[in-house]
Amino acid sequence: MTHAPAYLVLEDGTRYRGRAYGARGRALGEAVFATGMSGYQETLTDPSYAGQIVVQTAPHIGNTGMNDEDPESRRIWVDGYVVRDPSRIVSNHRAVRSLDDELEAQGIVGISGIDTRALTRRLRDAGVMRAGIFSGDDAALDPDTQLAEVRASAAMNGRSLSAEVSVDEAMVVPAVGESIGRLAVLDLGVKASTLRHLAERGFEVHVLPQSTTIDELRALDPVAVFYSNGPGDPAASDAHVSLLQDVLKDGTPFFGICFGNQLLGRALGFGTYKLPFGHRGINQPVLDKQTGRIEITAHNHGFAVDAPVEGVVDSPAGFGRVEVSHVGLNDQVVEGLRALDIPAFSVQYHPEAAAGPHDSTYLFDRFRAMVSDALLKEKGTDVPFDGSDSLPRATQNNQNEGTD
C-alpha cells in the first residue's frame, strides 16, 4: 500500500518526511506538543489550540475513533495535526467515524509516520516555533519555498485570537436544579464541559461574546463573572483586561481558568510571558498551596503570569493583597492566583477535566461557595471575606479525602 508523502517543516529549517494524514494541502501554525495518552477528541476540539499545529507524544492515536458526545466545541480548532502511528481500524462502541475521516471532512491537514519523540525533543530543546505541514500538491514545493512560507506565517506573540473562537451571540445554559443566579461567562474559547460543570453548581450560565462591554455586562446583573480558557497572547487582550478591572472594582465575584488566569494576573497589575514550550496534556502535577494537596491536572497554555510564587504581595493595580495559590511542580510556574481582599481567584489549568483527571473539579465548588457567601453578605448576613471562605465547607472538612 502506497502513501502520499507529506513534510513537516520547522522555522529553524528542521524537516521531517512522513505520510499525508487527514486533509491534503498546507497548514501553518505554532508547533506544540501534547502529552496526553488519551482524549485526542477533546484536544482537537479545544478552542485554546487555535493557531497551533499539535504534536501528539503518544505514538498510537485514533483507535477509539470519533463520536458525537465528546467534542468540547462546535468544530476542530487545531491548525494542523501530527501523529506517529494512526490507528488502521476504529474499535469503540460509541465511534461513528474514524479520526482520519473527521480530519479530512473538516479540512485539517495532518502528517503521520514521523518520529514524534525526536520532534518533541527538538521542541523541548529549542522551544516551540512556527511550522508548516505540506501534503498533496504542496508537498512538491521546493524546500526553500516551504521554509519561506513557514517563516512568513504569524507568530503567537502579540496575536489575539479571541474573536475567532468566541460566540457571535449570547447563549444561555440553564441551571441544573435551583438557580443561585446568572453567571456571565466571557467566551474566550470556552469548552462545553466547563459550562456543564458551572450549570451543575446552580448557575444560570450566560455565555457572552468576547466583545461584551462593561455596560452590557452590568445590564445582565450577574451574581458572578467567569473568564474562560482560550488561545492567543494575553498581552494582546487589553480590552478584556480593562473589562475585568471594572468587574473587580464593582466587587463582583470572579473566577478565571487558563487564559482567564493570565487576564486576572494582568488586571491585578502583573505581567505575562511566553514559556519555552508550555504545558499541554492531562498529566501535569500542581500544588494547591491552600490545602497542601498535589493534583494531577489538564493543561493547555503557552503563556504564564509573572508574579512572586512565595508570600503575599500588594496588587500593583491597587486591588489589595494577592497570593499565588497554585504552583506547577515541574517548573515552579504560577498556576493560580487568589485575591485576599476581593472575591476573585483563578487557575492556569483546566478543572473541567475533559479529557483528564478529576482532581481539580472541587474548584467549581469553591467558586459556588465564594458566590454564595458574597450573596449572603449582600443581603446583610455577617460573612466577612478574608480570602478563605472560597473553600467550600465540605472541602474544609475533608481535605485529606480523595476527589471523584
Side-chain angles (χ1 to χ4, degrees), residues 92 131 164 205 291 311 313 322 358 372 374 385:
N92 186 275
E164 296 184 20
V205 181
T291 65
V313 298
V322 181
H358 297 169
S372 296
F385 182 80

Side-chain angles (χ1 to χ4, degrees), residues 141-323:
L141 292 173
D142 180 85
D144 290 338
T145 300
Q146 293 174 343
L147 180 58
E149 291 288 340
V150 171
R151 290 177 174 172
S153 63
M156 191 60 69
N157 284 77
R159 192 174 181 187
S160 177
L161 293 168
S162 299
E164 296 184 20
V165 299
S166 181
V167 294
D168 294 324
E169 298 180 352
M171 56 174 283
V172 179
V173 179
V176 176
E178 184 178 357
S179 173
I180 66 170
R182 291 182 292 273
L183 173 64
V185 173
L186 195 70
D187 178 14
L188 304 170
V190 73
K191 296 168 69 175
S193 293
T194 298
L195 302 178
R196 184 167 59 251
H197 274 288
L198 292 168
E200 288 173 350
R201 268 67 179 184
F203 292 107
E204 180 183 285
V205 181
H206 290 249
V207 184
L208 306 178
Q210 60 86 32
S211 58
T212 298
T213 67
I214 187 60
D215 289 337
E216 292 169 335
L217 194 62
R218 287 170 176 159
L220 185 63
D221 192 25
V223 295
V225 173
F226 178 91
Y227 270 23
S228 77
N229 59 290
D233 185 347
S237 291
D238 290 344
H240 303 138
V241 173
S242 178
L243 175 67
L244 180 49
Q245 287 179 329
D246 286 335
V247 168
L248 299 179
K249 290 174 184 176
D250 287 347
T252 306
F254 172 82
F255 179 27
I257 67 169
C258 199
F259 199 57
N261 176 71
Q262 297 159 11
L263 296 181
L264 176 61
R266 286 199 59 202
L268 294 173
F270 300 109
T272 56
Y273 64 98
K274 198 172 192 304
L275 295 166
F277 47 82
H279 303 161
R280 297 173 182 89
I282 56 178
N283 51 3
Q284 307 281 336
V286 167
L287 171 66
D288 181 346
K289 294 170 63 178
Q290 187 172 347
T291 65
R293 296 178 62 183
I294 296 173
E295 307 162 19
I296 304 301
T297 59
H299 285 230
N300 178 8
H301 68 107
F303 293 85
V305 176
D306 186 8
V309 171
E310 299 298 336
V312 175
V313 298
D314 290 329
S315 160
F319 289 102
R321 298 167 299 150
V322 181
E323 69 176 359

Side-chain angles (χ1 to χ4, degrees), residues 314-359:
D314 290 329
S315 160
F319 289 102
R321 298 167 299 150
V322 181
E323 69 176 359
V324 171
S325 59
H326 296 74
V327 179
L329 295 181
N330 285 334
D331 51 14
Q332 297 298 299
V333 165
V334 173
E335 295 291 349
L337 297 167
R338 187 164 70 105
L340 302 181
D341 298 314
I342 57 173
F345 74 102
S346 60
V347 292
Q348 184 57 67
Y349 48 96
H350 289 231
E352 82 290 333
H358 297 169
D359 294 23

